[in-house]
Amino acid sequence: MGCPAKQIFALVDVNNMYISCERVFNPRLRDRPVVVLSNNDGCSVARPNEVKALGVPMGAPWFQMRDLARQHGIVGLSSNYTLYADMSNRIMTILRTYSPNVEVYSIDESFLSLSGLGGGCGLRR
């Protein structure tokens, strides 16, 4: 008798996607407080833990952060959606090498089917 069929999925969520993409090509931004701003540099659409710790909420307008930015050295970056889409495509391509069944949920999230990849019954630990 074979093993009962189990469906096992993994959720892959890139941590601070926009910030991470920016840091790949600009290593000086690592461990610095950075925000990525919406179109026309209006509001924060991405902020790493360093900025969250300063109390900056998601969607905070840049003009309201300027004093805090000067005080703490927060770098405000214009969004680069072409870069983020390219990096997302690269990530999804890599994930497809681990599972033929990848369901892309958003630019930085996907579900991978891990069913049947462990050999025998269930996944190896």
Side-chain angles (χ1 to χ4, degrees), residues 76-87:
L77 301 174
S78 297
S79 50
N80 183 344
Y81 297 113
T82 302
L83 169 66
Y84 311 146
D86 177 66
M87 293 296 283

Side-chain angles (χ1 to χ4, degrees), residues 43-113:
C43 299
S44 65
V45 294
R47 59 207 167 50
N49 293 335
E50 300 89 357
V51 175
K52 291 174 187 175
L54 296 172
V56 175
M58 181 64 82
W62 179 246
F63 76 90
Q64 290 180 352
M65 282 187 264
R66 286 196 180 136
D67 289 338
L68 191 64
R70 280 191 283 275
Q71 183 181 0
H72 295 281
I74 299 173
V75 177
L77 301 174
S78 297
S79 50
N80 183 344
Y81 297 113
T82 302
L83 169 66
Y84 311 146
D86 177 66
M87 293 296 283
S88 177
N89 288 332
R90 292 179 191 206
I91 292 164
M92 299 311 163
T93 297
I94 292 168
L95 293 177
R96 285 185 183 95
T97 67
Y98 293 97
S99 173
N101 300 316
V102 175
E103 186 68 36
V104 178
Y105 181 71
S106 67
I107 195 166
D108 69 337
E109 292 178 301
S110 62
F111 295 94
L112 280 68
S113 172

